[in-house]
Each structure stands twice: as C-alpha cells, then as structure tokens.
Amino acid sequence: MGRRRGVLIAALVLMLVASSGYWGYVATRDDGTAPAVAAAEQTSEPGLRDRLGGAVRDLVGGGTGGGERKAEPVSAGLAVNERPPAGKKWPAQKRVREVAAKRTANGKVYQLSDGRLQAEISAVPVHYRDAKGAYKPIDTKVKPTGRAGYVQGNATNAFTSLFGDRTDNLVRFEKDGRSIELGLPGAARKAAPKVSGSTVTYPVDGVELVYEVSSTELKEKIV
C-alpha cells in the first residue's frame, strides 16, 4: 500500500511540474546548499507527460474525454451527491372489507381504502376449518346439539367438545378423527349440564365439575 501511494504522489508531482510547460529535475550541490533546478522547454508532441497527466486526471475525476465524469450510482439507486428523499408518512386508512380467501388459522387480511392490504396476526387460533375445508371464525360458545347422549356441545372450533347428561358419559373431546370420553365410575345417574357461554358445570356429589372451552384447550376444574 505504501509503495502504491508513493507512485501516485510521484505522478501527481510530475503532473504539477509538467503543467507549467517545463520538464524539471532537482539536484543537490556537493556543498549541501540550496538545490539548483534545471528545466527544458516543453515539446508540442504528446509523450509520457501527456499520458501521465491524462491518467492522473482520470484518477482524480478531472478528465474531460467524452464529457464530464458522472457521479457513480450507489446501491440505493442514488447518486453519491444526491440526498435521500424524506420519509413518507402514510395517511390513516379505513378497513373496507376482510379478504376471506387469505385467512389462516391465526390470521386475517383486510383491504384498506387506498387498496393496500393489512394483516392481523393472533398468537392463538382465530379460525377453524369446516367440513368443506374453508376457514371460519372460531366461536367457543356451547350450544344444544339436538342429539341423544351429548345434549350440549361446541363444534365451531379447532376441536369439538361434547357434554352429556349422565355421570358415566360427561365429556367427549374430538380432534383429527380421534376422541376421548370422560365419566364418573359407579352406576350411571342423571347429570344435567349447566351452560354459561363457553363454560359447562356439573354439580355432582357436593362438588362442581367445571369445563371451559377456549380456542386452544378444553380445561377441567374441580370446585
């Protein structure tokens, strides 16, 4: 690196001397006094000096061949002497509609009034697939099923929760074609489920069995 810099400095010095119309050299007297400078007139023929001068001008951006040098573009697409544009603040937009075709288990996509799309992502599932494979909004409310055995239930979820009216057949949990059934041991007795929103309660033998339906689990509590 030092050698290359030295060559460049020498070329620049030579160019400065040559630009005055003379070739020059420096010599030191034997007695150590001030140096004497000898010069010869410049010839009109282009030679080493002109070639070196052109190379130096090109190196520092002063060359004129073919017009002025243009600023080299940088990776951001701006010229080196161009300021970046000021940041743009998007105006507030209103949601026009939900794009149902872009639903996922955990997300919704909305079209805004300016044509842009806005995604809303949830940490828990917000959609379930129906019998046709389409995503539908999850609703965890427990409702009458109209079927014998399991009189209350919820099927608008990522899994199905069913609640019976007998102690030997209290709860049935279904997901991906598999199921688990829960009941109490001993002789079967009537046990009418009490429903409040997404919660089902069974009063049995002085305690309450409480089942809570969410989008991620069916939770049992003994109170």
Side-chain angles (χ1 to χ4, degrees):
M1 182 65 183
R3 179 177 178 80
R4 291 178 62 189
R5 184 178 298 172
V7 173
L8 176 60
I9 293 173
L12 290 173
V13 172
L14 178 59
M15 182 56 200
L16 291 175
V17 174
S19 64
S20 63
Y22 294 92
W23 282 96
Y25 64 89
V26 179
T28 305
R29 294 176 179 173
D30 293 337
D31 58 1
T33 58
V37 177
E41 291 186 3
Q42 175 185 0
T43 63
S44 61
E45 296 180 1
L48 177 62
R49 182 195 63 185
D50 296 313
R51 293 197 298 273
L52 286 174
V56 172
R57 284 194 298 272
D58 288 341
L59 181 64
V60 298
T64 58
E68 295 183 0
R69 288 177 64 90
K70 296 181 179 179
E72 294 292 335
V74 295
S75 60
L78 301 174
V80 293
N81 60 347
E82 185 178 354
R83 290 178 177 272
K88 180 180 179 181
K89 183 178 180 180
W90 288 96
Q93 299 295 327
K94 294 182 179 180
R95 292 177 175 177
V96 176
R97 65 183 182 91
E98 182 196 352
V99 184
K102 293 185 176 294
R103 286 176 177 174
T104 63
N106 290 64
K108 298 177 180 288
V109 175
Y110 296 93
Q111 180 180 333
L112 302 181
S113 55
D114 65 353
R116 290 181 296 155
L117 297 178
Q118 182 185 66
E120 183 178 273
I121 309 300
S122 172
V124 297
V126 293
H127 296 119
Y128 74 98
R129 288 191 183 274
D130 63 9
K132 297 181 180 180
Y135 277 115
K136 299 293 184 180
I138 288 177
D139 181 0
T140 60
K141 289 186 177 66
V142 177
K143 302 175 181 179
T145 63
R147 58 186 280 187
Y150 293 100
V151 294
Q152 300 283 344
N154 172 266
T156 54
N157 203 346
F159 52 88
T160 298
S161 304
L162 297 171
F163 304 94
D165 57 358
R166 290 162 44 113
T167 57
D168 62 339
N169 209 24
L170 290 178
V171 181
R172 180 181 173 93
F173 179 94
E174 299 177 352
K175 182 175 175 61
D176 299 333
R178 298 185 177 185
S179 64
I180 297 176
E181 296 179 353
L182 302 177
L184 297 178
R189 292 167 289 164
K190 282 287 186 179
K194 295 181 179 180
V195 177
S196 175
S198 302
T199 303
V200 176
T201 303
Y202 288 99
V204 178
D205 297 335
V207 299
E208 290 184 339
L209 299 178
V210 181
Y211 295 92
E212 296 176 349
V213 181
S214 73
S215 62
T216 58
E217 64 182 358
L218 173 60
K219 186 176 182 180
E220 179 187 65
K221 296 190 299 183
I222 300 177
V223 181

